[in-house]
Each structure stands twice: as structure tokens, then as C-alpha cells.
Amino acid sequence: MKTDITSIIECIIALFSALITTFLIPYVKSKLSESRFQQIQFWAKTAVEAAEQLYGSKAGQQKKDYVVSFLLSKGIVMDIDDVTALIESEVYKMSSVSQGCTR
């Protein structure tokens, strides 16, 4: 007795395709965006620390311009509001650490 398993194989392939589309691709995308966000945070922190060293406690706009320029040089293109929020976050982290060290 011969059985044609072509339809069974087609069903299995369709099932695997559906599983990959539903689970694997979104998982990979989420990992890439998380990784990319961590990379952006790293470069933002580096740029904020460098700007602080270069310009001191004053010259806020010069420091911001430096950070934006630095991020652009690393291929990071973001909305200015997002960049500002990221910079403020890193400045806050730096000030929290420095205040913790002096207490």
C-alpha cells in the first residue's frame, strides 16, 4: 500500500512557516532592538562624560551640541526630543553617582 505523503509534508512546512513568522522573527527583532538600544545608551553615556570633561559644569548648549554630533558620528540618528531625554538621563545618572560618592 503506497501512501502519498506530499500533503502531510506541505502541512508540516506550513506549520513551521507559521511558527517562525509568529514567534522567531519577533523574538529576533526584539533582541536586535534591545541590543541597539544598549549600544545607543553606551555611546550616549560616553559622549556625555566626554562633553563634561571638555566643557566643565557650564556651557550646557555646547555640551548638548557635542553629544548630538558625537552620536551622529556613530551613525545614531534620533529625534531631538529622544536625544535630549537620553542626555538628561545620563546626566542624572552621573550626578546621582557623584552625589553618592561625596556623602
Side-chain angles (χ1 to χ4, degrees):
M1 180 175 169
K2 278 188 157 178
T3 306
D4 185 20
I5 61 169
T6 305
S7 60
I8 295 172
I9 292 174
E10 287 175 350
C11 288
I12 291 173
I13 291 172
L15 177 65
F16 281 129
S17 297
L19 290 174
I20 288 172
T21 303
T22 304
F23 298 107
L24 187 60
I25 292 175
Y27 174 77
V28 170
K29 282 184 177 179
S30 73
K31 287 299 177 186
L32 288 177
S33 17
E34 181 180 325
S35 171
R36 180 72 174 150
F37 183 72
Q38 287 175 350
Q39 182 184 36
I40 291 170
Q41 276 188 309
F42 170 79
W43 286 121
K45 179 181 181 209
T46 301
V48 167
E49 289 173 350
E52 189 64 31
Q53 285 294 315
L54 289 170
Y55 298 104
S57 61
K58 304 291 181 197
Q61 188 60 45
Q62 285 179 308
K63 291 191 287 189
K64 183 177 180 179
D65 292 343
Y66 175 85
V67 172
V68 170
S69 175
F70 183 87
L71 292 175
L72 285 173
S73 76
K74 297 297 179 191
I76 299 169
V77 179
M78 296 173 60
D79 181 79
I80 193 66
D81 293 333
D82 294 339
V83 170
T84 301
L86 195 54
I87 291 170
E88 292 300 324
S89 172
E90 291 304 325
V91 169
Y92 176 77
K93 289 176 191 174
M94 282 178 47
S95 66
S96 295
V97 169
S98 68
Q99 286 176 0
C101 292
T102 59
R103 290 182 181 179

